[in-house]
Amino acid sequence: MTNKNSASKGGSKPADKERMYEVRQSPVHGNGVFARRPIAAGERIIQYKGQRISWDKATRRAEKAGGPINHTFYFSLADGRVIDGGRDGNDARWINHACTPNCEAFEDEGKVYIHAMQEIEAGEELNYNYALIYDERHTPALKKLFACRCGTPGCTGTMLAPKRRAKK
């Protein structure tokens, strides 16, 4: 399984030094990240930080913690490593999933940045599509473990990315 979608380069840096977001209770799930001021489309909001580890180490950590692998702050990188936002992480780990997101993640030289996909109003919750890749069969029980509560018009009911169909 791959947690927190990896993506390609893009976007711009924040226009000013004013802190543009805050962490608070989310109606979607647990903590969330909310805009403190309007954010322009394409604006870089925050870097996703944390300890860089191998996927094997990430799996062992999740097992040792006794929690399911789906309840982590892991963000997969193109080189196969993982950023563990739960260790040395920052506020980016609190950005929730949405099937129809207002932000997206870009990987640039091994660093992950969250950028606004559209204009975001002050007070609006920031979110991006985790598009979690899970190699096993997507059973109803698995989909329930990865249930989505985003409530957006395009909600698929799961944080899992659709399985790619094999070409015949």
Side-chain angles (χ1 to χ4, degrees):
M1 179 195 71
T2 301
N3 210 349
K4 309 277 189 188
N5 187 27
S6 294
S8 59
K9 296 180 183 183
S12 62
K13 292 185 178 181
D16 60 36
K17 299 287 183 189
E18 177 190 350
R19 188 167 163 107
M20 65 180 88
Y21 61 86
E22 66 183 350
V23 176
R24 58 183 159 99
Q25 192 70 31
S26 168
V28 174
H29 175 74
N31 288 323
V33 179
F34 295 81
R36 290 186 62 197
R37 63 158 175 85
I39 299 173
E43 193 168 357
R44 181 180 289 175
I45 300 168
I46 189 171
Q47 180 181 347
Y48 194 98
K49 292 186 178 182
Q51 194 176 76
R52 293 167 185 276
I53 58 174
S54 69
W55 183 247
D56 288 341
K57 188 169 188 171
T59 302
R60 286 192 307 274
R61 277 186 182 175
E63 289 171 359
K64 185 177 179 182
I69 193 78
N70 62 311
H71 189 68
T72 64
F73 296 114
Y74 297 156
F75 201 118
S76 296
L77 298 170
D79 68 4
R81 291 183 303 157
V82 174
I83 297 174
D84 181 354
R87 303 251 179 124
D88 303 322
N90 62 353
D91 291 341
R93 68 183 173 194
W94 303 117
I95 299 174
N96 281 314
H97 163 87
C99 297
T100 309
N102 57 15
C103 295
E104 60 188 334
F106 290 99
E107 183 175 337
D108 184 10
E109 297 182 14
K111 295 180 180 178
V112 175
Y113 300 97
I114 310 300
H115 294 254
M117 294 174 59
Q118 61 198 39
E119 300 291 322
I120 299 173
E121 296 179 22
E124 191 175 342
E125 185 168 3
L126 306 179
N127 48 59
Y128 61 94
N129 190 326
Y130 292 178
L132 303 177
I133 297 170
Y134 198 83
D135 295 331
E136 306 302 320
R137 191 169 153 256
H138 288 191
T139 63
L142 183 69
K143 288 181 182 180
K144 187 175 180 180
L145 278 175
F146 292 95
C148 176
R149 299 175 186 93
C150 74
T152 63
C155 185
T156 64
T158 183
M159 294 183 282
L160 296 169
K163 295 283 272 183
R164 292 186 186 195
R165 299 194 185 257
K167 293 183 180 181
K168 294 182 180 183

CSV table of all heavy atoms in Angstrom, one decimal, residues 33-91:
chain,number,residue,atom,x,y,z
A,33,VAL,N,-6.6,21.2,8.5
A,33,VAL,CA,-5.9,22.4,8.3
A,33,VAL,C,-6.8,23.3,7.5
A,33,VAL,O,-7.4,22.9,6.5
A,33,VAL,CB,-4.6,22.1,7.5
A,33,VAL,CG1,-3.8,23.4,7.2
A,33,VAL,CG2,-3.7,21.1,8.2
A,34,PHE,N,-6.9,24.6,8.0
A,34,PHE,CA,-7.8,25.5,7.5
A,34,PHE,C,-7.1,26.8,7.1
A,34,PHE,O,-6.1,27.2,7.7
A,34,PHE,CB,-8.9,25.9,8.5
A,34,PHE,CG,-9.7,24.7,8.9
A,34,PHE,CD1,-9.3,23.8,9.8
A,34,PHE,CD2,-11.0,24.6,8.3
A,34,PHE,CE1,-10.1,22.7,10.1
A,34,PHE,CE2,-11.8,23.5,8.7
A,34,PHE,CZ,-11.3,22.5,9.6
A,35,ALA,N,-7.6,27.4,6.0
A,35,ALA,CA,-7.0,28.6,5.5
A,35,ALA,C,-7.3,29.8,6.4
A,35,ALA,O,-8.4,30.0,6.9
A,35,ALA,CB,-7.5,29.0,4.1
A,36,ARG,N,-6.3,30.6,6.8
A,36,ARG,CA,-6.4,31.8,7.6
A,36,ARG,C,-6.7,33.0,6.8
A,36,ARG,O,-7.2,34.0,7.3
A,36,ARG,CB,-5.2,32.0,8.5
A,36,ARG,CG,-5.1,30.9,9.6
A,36,ARG,CD,-3.9,31.2,10.5
A,36,ARG,NE,-4.2,32.5,11.2
A,36,ARG,CZ,-3.3,33.2,11.8
A,36,ARG,NH1,-2.0,32.8,11.8
A,36,ARG,NH2,-3.6,34.3,12.4
A,37,ARG,N,-6.4,32.9,5.5
A,37,ARG,CA,-6.5,34.0,4.6
A,37,ARG,C,-6.8,33.4,3.2
A,37,ARG,O,-6.6,32.2,3.0
A,37,ARG,CB,-5.3,34.9,4.5
A,37,ARG,CG,-4.1,34.1,4.0
A,37,ARG,CD,-3.0,35.1,3.5
A,37,ARG,NE,-1.8,34.5,3.1
A,37,ARG,CZ,-1.6,34.0,1.9
A,37,ARG,NH1,-2.5,34.0,1.0
A,37,ARG,NH2,-0.4,33.5,1.6
A,38,PRO,N,-7.3,34.2,2.3
A,38,PRO,CA,-7.5,33.6,0.9
A,38,PRO,C,-6.2,33.1,0.4
A,38,PRO,O,-5.1,33.7,0.6
A,38,PRO,CB,-8.0,34.8,0.1
A,38,PRO,CG,-8.6,35.8,1.1
A,38,PRO,CD,-7.7,35.6,2.3
A,39,ILE,N,-6.2,32.0,-0.3
A,39,ILE,CA,-5.0,31.4,-0.9
A,39,ILE,C,-5.3,31.3,-2.4
A,39,ILE,O,-6.3,30.8,-2.9
A,39,ILE,CB,-4.8,30.0,-0.4
A,39,ILE,CG1,-4.5,30.1,1.2
A,39,ILE,CG2,-3.6,29.4,-1.1
A,39,ILE,CD1,-4.4,28.8,1.9
A,40,ALA,N,-4.3,31.8,-3.2
A,40,ALA,CA,-4.5,31.8,-4.7
A,40,ALA,C,-4.2,30.4,-5.3
A,40,ALA,O,-3.4,29.7,-4.8
A,40,ALA,CB,-3.5,32.8,-5.3
A,41,ALA,N,-4.9,30.2,-6.4
A,41,ALA,CA,-4.7,28.9,-7.1
A,41,ALA,C,-3.2,28.8,-7.5
A,41,ALA,O,-2.6,29.8,-7.9
A,41,ALA,CB,-5.5,28.9,-8.4
A,42,GLY,N,-2.6,27.7,-7.3
A,42,GLY,CA,-1.2,27.5,-7.6
A,42,GLY,C,-0.2,27.8,-6.5
A,42,GLY,O,1.0,27.5,-6.6
A,43,GLU,N,-0.7,28.5,-5.4
A,43,GLU,CA,0.2,28.9,-4.4
A,43,GLU,C,0.7,27.7,-3.5
A,43,GLU,O,-0.1,26.8,-3.2
A,43,GLU,CB,-0.6,29.9,-3.5
A,43,GLU,CG,0.3,30.7,-2.5
A,43,GLU,CD,-0.5,31.8,-1.9
A,43,GLU,OE1,-1.6,32.1,-2.2
A,43,GLU,OE2,0.2,32.5,-1.0
A,44,ARG,N,2.0,27.7,-3.2
A,44,ARG,CA,2.5,26.7,-2.4
A,44,ARG,C,2.1,27.0,-0.9
A,44,ARG,O,2.3,28.1,-0.5
A,44,ARG,CB,4.1,26.7,-2.5
A,44,ARG,CG,4.7,25.6,-1.6
A,44,ARG,CD,6.2,25.6,-1.7
A,44,ARG,NE,6.6,25.1,-3.0
A,44,ARG,CZ,7.8,25.0,-3.4
A,44,ARG,NH1,8.8,25.5,-2.7
A,44,ARG,NH2,8.1,24.5,-4.6
A,45,ILE,N,1.6,26.0,-0.2
A,45,ILE,CA,1.1,26.2,1.1
A,45,ILE,C,2.0,25.7,2.2
A,45,ILE,O,2.3,26.5,3.1
A,45,ILE,CB,-0.3,25.6,1.2
A,45,ILE,CG1,-1.3,26.2,0.2
A,45,ILE,CG2,-0.8,25.7,2.7
A,45,ILE,CD1,-2.6,25.4,0.1
A,46,ILE,N,2.5,24.5,2.0
A,46,ILE,CA,3.3,23.9,3.0
A,46,ILE,C,4.1,22.7,2.5
A,46,ILE,O,3.7,22.1,1.5
A,46,ILE,CB,2.5,23.5,4.2
A,46,ILE,CG1,3.3,23.0,5.4
A,46,ILE,CG2,1.5,22.4,3.8
A,46,ILE,CD1,2.5,22.8,6.7
A,47,GLN,N,5.3,22.5,3.0
A,47,GLN,CA,6.0,21.3,2.7
A,47,GLN,C,5.6,20.2,3.7
A,47,GLN,O,5.4,20.4,4.9
A,47,GLN,CB,7.5,21.5,2.8
A,47,GLN,CG,8.4,20.3,2.5
A,47,GLN,CD,9.9,20.5,2.7
A,47,GLN,OE1,10.3,21.7,2.8
A,47,GLN,NE2,10.6,19.5,2.7
A,48,TYR,N,5.4,18.9,3.1
A,48,TYR,CA,5.1,17.8,4.0
A,48,TYR,C,6.5,17.3,4.5
A,48,TYR,O,7.3,16.8,3.8
A,48,TYR,CB,4.4,16.7,3.2
A,48,TYR,CG,3.8,15.6,4.0
A,48,TYR,CD1,2.4,15.7,4.3
A,48,TYR,CD2,4.5,14.6,4.6
A,48,TYR,CE1,1.8,14.7,5.1
A,48,TYR,CE2,4.0,13.6,5.4
A,48,TYR,CZ,2.6,13.7,5.6
A,48,TYR,OH,2.0,12.8,6.4
A,49,LYS,N,6.6,17.4,5.8
A,49,LYS,CA,7.9,17.0,6.5
A,49,LYS,C,7.8,15.8,7.4
A,49,LYS,O,6.7,15.6,7.9
A,49,LYS,CB,8.5,18.2,7.3
A,49,LYS,CG,8.9,19.4,6.4
A,49,LYS,CD,9.6,20.5,7.2
A,49,LYS,CE,10.1,21.6,6.3
A,49,LYS,NZ,10.8,22.6,7.1
A,50,GLY,N,8.9,15.2,7.7
A,50,GLY,CA,8.9,14.1,8.6
A,50,GLY,C,10.2,13.3,8.3
A,50,GLY,O,11.0,13.6,7.5
A,51,GLN,N,10.3,12.2,9.1
A,51,GLN,CA,11.5,11.4,9.0
A,51,GLN,C,11.4,10.5,7.7
A,51,GLN,O,10.3,10.0,7.4
A,51,GLN,CB,11.5,10.5,10.2
A,51,GLN,CG,12.8,9.8,10.4
A,51,GLN,CD,12.8,9.0,11.7
A,51,GLN,OE1,12.2,7.9,11.7
A,51,GLN,NE2,13.5,9.5,12.7
A,52,ARG,N,12.5,10.4,7.0
A,52,ARG,CA,12.5,9.6,5.7
A,52,ARG,C,13.0,8.2,6.1
A,52,ARG,O,14.1,8.1,6.6
A,52,ARG,CB,13.4,10.3,4.7
A,52,ARG,CG,12.9,11.6,4.2
A,52,ARG,CD,13.9,12.4,3.5
A,52,ARG,NE,13.3,13.7,3.1
A,52,ARG,CZ,12.5,13.9,2.1
A,52,ARG,NH1,12.3,13.0,1.2
A,52,ARG,NH2,12.0,15.1,1.9
A,53,ILE,N,12.2,7.3,5.7
A,53,ILE,CA,12.5,5.9,6.0
A,53,ILE,C,12.1,5.0,4.9
A,53,ILE,O,11.4,5.4,3.9
A,53,ILE,CB,11.7,5.4,7.3
A,53,ILE,CG1,10.2,5.6,7.1
A,53,ILE,CG2,12.2,6.2,8.5
A,53,ILE,CD1,9.3,5.1,8.3
A,54,SER,N,12.5,3.7,4.9
A,54,SER,CA,12.2,2.7,3.9
A,54,SER,C,10.7,2.3,4.1
A,54,SER,O,10.2,2.4,5.2
A,54,SER,CB,13.1,1.5,4.0
A,54,SER,OG,12.8,0.8,5.2
A,55,TRP,N,10.1,1.8,3.1
A,55,TRP,CA,8.7,1.3,3.2
A,55,TRP,C,8.7,0.1,4.2
A,55,TRP,O,7.7,0.0,5.0
A,55,TRP,CB,8.2,0.9,1.8
A,55,TRP,CG,6.8,0.4,1.9
A,55,TRP,CD1,6.3,-0.8,1.7
A,55,TRP,CD2,5.7,1.2,2.3
A,55,TRP,NE1,4.9,-0.9,2.0
A,55,TRP,CE2,4.5,0.4,2.3
A,55,TRP,CE3,5.5,2.5,2.7
A,55,TRP,CZ2,3.3,0.8,2.7
A,55,TRP,CZ3,4.2,3.0,3.0
A,55,TRP,CH2,3.1,2.1,3.0
A,56,ASP,N,9.7,-0.8,4.2
A,56,ASP,CA,9.8,-1.9,5.1
A,56,ASP,C,9.8,-1.4,6.6
A,56,ASP,O,9.1,-1.9,7.4
A,56,ASP,CB,11.0,-2.8,4.9
A,56,ASP,CG,10.9,-3.6,3.6
A,56,ASP,OD1,9.8,-3.8,3.1
A,56,ASP,OD2,12.0,-4.1,3.2
A,57,LYS,N,10.5,-0.3,6.8
A,57,LYS,CA,10.6,0.2,8.2
A,57,LYS,C,9.2,0.9,8.5
A,57,LYS,O,8.7,0.7,9.7
A,57,LYS,CB,11.7,1.3,8.3
A,57,LYS,CG,11.9,1.8,9.7
A,57,LYS,CD,13.1,2.6,9.9
A,57,LYS,CE,13.4,2.9,11.3
A,57,LYS,NZ,14.7,3.5,11.5
A,58,ALA,N,8.6,1.5,7.6
A,58,ALA,CA,7.3,2.1,7.8
A,58,ALA,C,6.2,1.0,8.2
A,58,ALA,O,5.5,1.2,9.1
A,58,ALA,CB,6.8,2.9,6.6
A,59,THR,N,6.3,-0.1,7.5
A,59,THR,CA,5.4,-1.2,7.8
A,59,THR,C,5.6,-1.8,9.2
A,59,THR,O,4.7,-2.0,9.9
A,59,THR,CB,5.6,-2.3,6.7
A,59,THR,OG1,5.3,-1.8,5.4
A,59,THR,CG2,4.6,-3.5,6.9
A,60,ARG,N,6.9,-2.0,9.5
A,60,ARG,CA,7.3,-2.5,10.9
A,60,ARG,C,6.8,-1.5,11.9
A,60,ARG,O,6.3,-1.9,13.0
A,60,ARG,CB,8.8,-2.7,11.0
A,60,ARG,CG,9.2,-3.9,10.2
A,60,ARG,CD,10.7,-4.3,10.6
A,60,ARG,NE,11.6,-3.3,10.5
A,60,ARG,CZ,12.3,-3.0,9.3
A,60,ARG,NH1,12.1,-3.7,8.2
A,60,ARG,NH2,13.2,-2.0,9.3
A,61,ARG,N,6.9,-0.2,11.7
A,61,ARG,CA,6.5,0.8,12.7
A,61,ARG,C,5.0,0.7,12.9
A,61,ARG,O,4.5,0.8,14.0
A,61,ARG,CB,6.8,2.2,12.2
A,61,ARG,CG,8.2,2.6,12.5
A,61,ARG,CD,8.4,4.1,12.2
A,61,ARG,NE,9.8,4.4,12.4
A,61,ARG,CZ,10.4,5.6,12.1
A,61,ARG,NH1,9.6,6.6,11.6
A,61,ARG,NH2,11.6,5.8,12.4
A,62,ALA,N,4.2,0.6,11.8
A,62,ALA,CA,2.8,0.5,12.0
A,62,ALA,C,2.4,-0.8,12.7
A,62,ALA,O,1.5,-0.7,13.6
A,62,ALA,CB,2.1,0.5,10.6
A,63,GLU,N,3.1,-1.9,12.4
A,63,GLU,CA,2.8,-3.1,13.1
A,63,GLU,C,3.1,-3.0,14.6
A,63,GLU,O,2.3,-3.5,15.5
A,63,GLU,CB,3.5,-4.3,12.5
A,63,GLU,CG,3.0,-4.7,11.1
A,63,GLU,CD,3.9,-5.7,10.4
A,63,GLU,OE1,4.9,-6.1,10.9
A,63,GLU,OE2,3.5,-6.1,9.3
A,64,LYS,N,4.3,-2.4,14.9
A,64,LYS,CA,4.7,-2.3,16.3
A,64,LYS,C,3.8,-1.4,17.1
A,64,LYS,O,3.5,-1.7,18.3
A,64,LYS,CB,6.1,-1.7,16.3
A,64,LYS,CG,6.7,-1.7,17.7
A,64,LYS,CD,8.2,-1.2,17.7
A,64,LYS,CE,8.7,-1.1,19.1
A,64,LYS,NZ,10.1,-0.5,19.1
A,65,ALA,N,3.2,-0.4,16.5
A,65,ALA,CA,2.3,0.5,17.1
A,65,ALA,C,0.9,-0.1,17.3
A,65,ALA,O,0.1,0.4,18.1
A,65,ALA,CB,2.1,1.8,16.3
A,66,GLY,N,0.7,-1.3,16.7
A,66,GLY,CA,-0.5,-2.0,16.9
A,66,GLY,C,-1.7,-1.4,16.1
A,66,GLY,O,-2.8,-1.8,16.3
A,67,GLY,N,-1.4,-0.5,15.3
A,67,GLY,CA,-2.4,0.2,14.5
A,67,GLY,C,-2.4,-0.3,13.1
A,67,GLY,O,-1.4,-0.8,12.6
A,68,PRO,N,-3.5,-0.1,12.4
A,68,PRO,CA,-3.6,-0.5,11.0
A,68,PRO,C,-2.7,0.5,10.2
A,68,PRO,O,-2.5,1.6,10.6
A,68,PRO,CB,-5.0,-0.3,10.6
A,68,PRO,CG,-5.6,0.7,11.6
A,68,PRO,CD,-4.8,0.5,12.9
A,69,ILE,N,-2.2,-0.1,9.1
A,69,ILE,CA,-1.3,0.7,8.2
A,69,ILE,C,-2.0,1.9,7.6
A,69,ILE,O,-1.4,2.9,7.2
A,69,ILE,CB,-0.7,-0.2,7.1
A,69,ILE,CG1,0.5,0.5,6.4
A,69,ILE,CG2,-1.7,-0.6,6.1
A,69,ILE,CD1,1.8,0.5,7.2
A,70,ASN,N,-3.4,1.9,7.6
A,70,ASN,CA,-4.1,2.9,7.0
A,70,ASN,C,-4.2,4.2,8.0
A,70,ASN,O,-4.7,5.2,7.5
A,70,ASN,CB,-5.5,2.5,6.7
A,70,ASN,CG,-6.3,2.0,7.9
A,70,ASN,OD1,-5.9,1.2,8.7
A,70,ASN,ND2,-7.6,2.5,8.0
A,71,HIS,N,-3.8,4.0,9.2
A,71,HIS,CA,-3.9,5.2,10.1
A,71,HIS,C,-2.5,5.6,10.4
A,71,HIS,O,-2.0,5.4,11.5
A,71,HIS,CB,-4.7,4.8,11.4
A,71,HIS,CG,-5.0,6.0,12.2
A,71,HIS,ND1,-5.8,7.0,11.9
A,71,HIS,CD2,-4.5,6.4,13.4
A,71,HIS,CE1,-5.9,7.9,12.8
A,71,HIS,NE2,-5.0,7.6,13.7
A,72,THR,N,-1.9,6.2,9.4
A,72,THR,CA,-0.5,6.7,9.6
A,72,THR,C,-0.4,8.0,8.9
A,72,THR,O,-1.3,8.6,8.3
A,72,THR,CB,0.5,5.7,8.8
A,72,THR,OG1,0.2,5.8,7.4
A,72,THR,CG2,0.4,4.3,9.3
A,73,PHE,N,0.8,8.6,9.1
A,73,PHE,CA,1.1,9.9,8.4
A,73,PHE,C,2.2,9.6,7.3
A,73,PHE,O,3.0,10.5,7.1
A,73,PHE,CB,1.6,10.9,9.4
A,73,PHE,CG,0.6,11.3,10.5
A,73,PHE,CD1,0.8,10.9,11.8
A,73,PHE,CD2,-0.5,12.0,10.1
A,73,PHE,CE1,-0.1,11.3,12.7
A,73,PHE,CE2,-1.5,12.3,11.1
A,73,PHE,CZ,-1.3,12.0,12.4
A,74,TYR,N,2.1,8.5,6.7
A,74,TYR,CA,3.1,8.1,5.7
A,74,TYR,C,2.8,8.8,4.3
A,74,TYR,O,1.7,8.8,3.9
A,74,TYR,CB,3.2,6.6,5.5
A,74,TYR,CG,3.7,5.9,6.7
A,74,TYR,CD1,3.3,4.5,6.9
A,74,TYR,CD2,4.4,6.5,7.7
A,74,TYR,CE1,3.8,3.8,8.0
A,74,TYR,CE2,4.9,5.8,8.8
A,74,TYR,CZ,4.5,4.5,9.0
A,74,TYR,OH,4.9,3.8,10.1
A,75,PHE,N,3.8,9.3,3.7
A,75,PHE,CA,3.7,9.8,2.3
A,75,PHE,C,4.8,9.2,1.5
A,75,PHE,O,6.0,9.4,1.7
A,75,PHE,CB,3.9,11.3,2.4
A,75,PHE,CG,3.3,12.0,1.2
A,75,PHE,CD1,2.3,13.0,1.3
A,75,PHE,CD2,3.8,11.8,-0.1
A,75,PHE,CE1,1.7,13.6,0.2
A,75,PHE,CE2,3.2,12.4,-1.2
A,75,PHE,CZ,2.2,13.3,-1.0
A,76,SER,N,4.4,8.4,0.5
A,76,SER,CA,5.4,7.7,-0.4
A,76,SER,C,6.1,8.7,-1.4
A,76,SER,O,5.5,9.6,-1.9
A,76,SER,CB,4.6,6.6,-1.2
A,76,SER,OG,4.1,5.7,-0.3
A,77,LEU,N,7.4,8.4,-1.5
A,77,LEU,CA,8.2,9.2,-2.5
A,77,LEU,C,8.5,8.3,-3.7
A,77,LEU,O,8.4,7.1,-3.7
A,77,LEU,CB,9.5,9.6,-1.8
A,77,LEU,CG,9.3,10.5,-0.6
A,77,LEU,CD1,10.7,10.6,0.2
A,77,LEU,CD2,8.8,11.8,-1.0
A,78,ALA,N,8.8,9.0,-4.8
A,78,ALA,CA,9.1,8.4,-6.1
A,78,ALA,C,10.3,7.4,-6.0
A,78,ALA,O,10.3,6.4,-6.7
A,78,ALA,CB,9.4,9.4,-7.1
A,79,ASP,N,11.2,7.6,-5.0
A,79,ASP,CA,12.4,6.7,-4.9
A,79,ASP,C,12.1,5.5,-4.1
A,79,ASP,O,13.0,4.7,-3.8
A,79,ASP,CB,13.6,7.5,-4.4
A,79,ASP,CG,13.5,7.9,-2.9
A,79,ASP,OD1,12.4,7.6,-2.2
A,79,ASP,OD2,14.4,8.6,-2.4
A,80,GLY,N,10.9,5.3,-3.6
A,80,GLY,CA,10.5,4.1,-2.8
A,80,GLY,C,10.5,4.3,-1.3
A,80,GLY,O,10.0,3.5,-0.6
A,81,ARG,N,11.1,5.4,-0.9
A,81,ARG,CA,11.1,5.7,0.5
A,81,ARG,C,9.8,6.4,0.9
A,81,ARG,O,8.9,6.6,0.1
A,81,ARG,CB,12.3,6.7,0.9
A,81,ARG,CG,13.7,6.0,0.7
A,81,ARG,CD,14.8,6.9,1.2
A,81,ARG,NE,14.7,8.2,0.4
A,81,ARG,CZ,15.3,9.3,0.8
A,81,ARG,NH1,15.9,9.4,1.9
A,81,ARG,NH2,15.2,10.4,0.0
A,82,VAL,N,9.7,6.6,2.2
A,82,VAL,CA,8.5,7.1,2.8
A,82,VAL,C,8.8,8.3,3.7
A,82,VAL,O,9.8,8.2,4.4
A,82,VAL,CB,7.7,6.0,3.6
A,82,VAL,CG1,6.5,6.6,4.4
A,82,VAL,CG2,7.3,4.9,2.8
A,83,ILE,N,8.0,9.4,3.7
A,83,ILE,CA,8.1,10.4,4.7
A,83,ILE,C,7.1,10.0,5.8
A,83,ILE,O,5.9,9.9,5.6
A,83,ILE,CB,7.8,11.8,4.2
A,83,ILE,CG1,8.7,12.2,3.1
A,83,ILE,CG2,7.7,12.8,5.3
A,83,ILE,CD1,8.3,13.5,2.4
A,84,ASP,N,7.7,9.9,7.1
A,84,ASP,CA,6.8,9.6,8.2
A,84,ASP,C,6.5,10.9,8.9
A,84,ASP,O,7.3,11.4,9.7
A,84,ASP,CB,7.5,8.6,9.1
A,84,ASP,CG,6.7,8.2,10.4
A,84,ASP,OD1,5.6,8.8,10.6
A,84,ASP,OD2,7.1,7.3,11.1
A,85,GLY,N,5.4,11.5,8.6
A,85,GLY,CA,5.0,12.7,9.2
A,85,GLY,C,4.7,12.6,10.7
A,85,GLY,O,4.6,13.7,11.4
A,86,GLY,N,4.6,11.4,11.2
A,86,GLY,CA,4.4,11.2,12.6
A,86,GLY,C,5.7,11.4,13.4
A,86,GLY,O,5.6,11.4,14.7
A,87,ARG,N,6.8,11.4,12.8
A,87,ARG,CA,8.1,11.6,13.4
A,87,ARG,C,8.8,12.8,12.7
A,87,ARG,O,9.1,12.8,11.6
A,87,ARG,CB,9.0,10.3,13.2
A,87,ARG,CG,8.4,9.1,13.7
A,87,ARG,CD,9.1,8.6,14.9
A,87,ARG,NE,8.5,7.3,15.4
A,87,ARG,CZ,9.1,6.2,15.6
A,87,ARG,NH1,10.4,6.1,15.3
A,87,ARG,NH2,8.5,5.1,16.0
A,88,ASP,N,9.0,13.8,13.5
A,88,ASP,CA,9.6,15.0,13.0
A,88,ASP,C,8.8,15.7,12.0
A,88,ASP,O,9.3,16.4,11.1
A,88,ASP,CB,11.1,14.8,12.5
A,88,ASP,CG,12.0,14.2,13.5
A,88,ASP,OD1,11.9,14.5,14.7
A,88,ASP,OD2,12.8,13.3,13.2
A,89,GLY,N,7.5,15.5,12.0
A,89,GLY,CA,6.6,16.0,11.0
A,89,GLY,C,6.1,17.4,11.4
A,89,GLY,O,6.5,18.0,12.4
A,90,ASN,N,5.3,18.0,10.5
A,90,ASN,CA,4.7,19.3,10.7
A,90,ASN,C,3.2,19.3,10.5
A,90,ASN,O,2.6,18.2,10.4
A,90,ASN,CB,5.4,20.3,9.8
A,90,ASN,CG,5.2,20.0,8.3
A,90,ASN,OD1,4.7,19.0,7.9
A,90,ASN,ND2,5.7,20.9,7.5
A,91,ASP,N,2.6,20.5,10.4
A,91,ASP,CA,1.2,20.6,10.3
A,91,ASP,C,0.6,20.0,9.0
A,91,ASP,O,-0.6,19.7,9.0
A,91,ASP,CB,0.8,22.1,10.3
A,91,ASP,CG,1.0,22.7,11.7
A,91,ASP,OD1,1.1,21.9,12.7
A,91,ASP,OD2,1.0,23.9,11.8
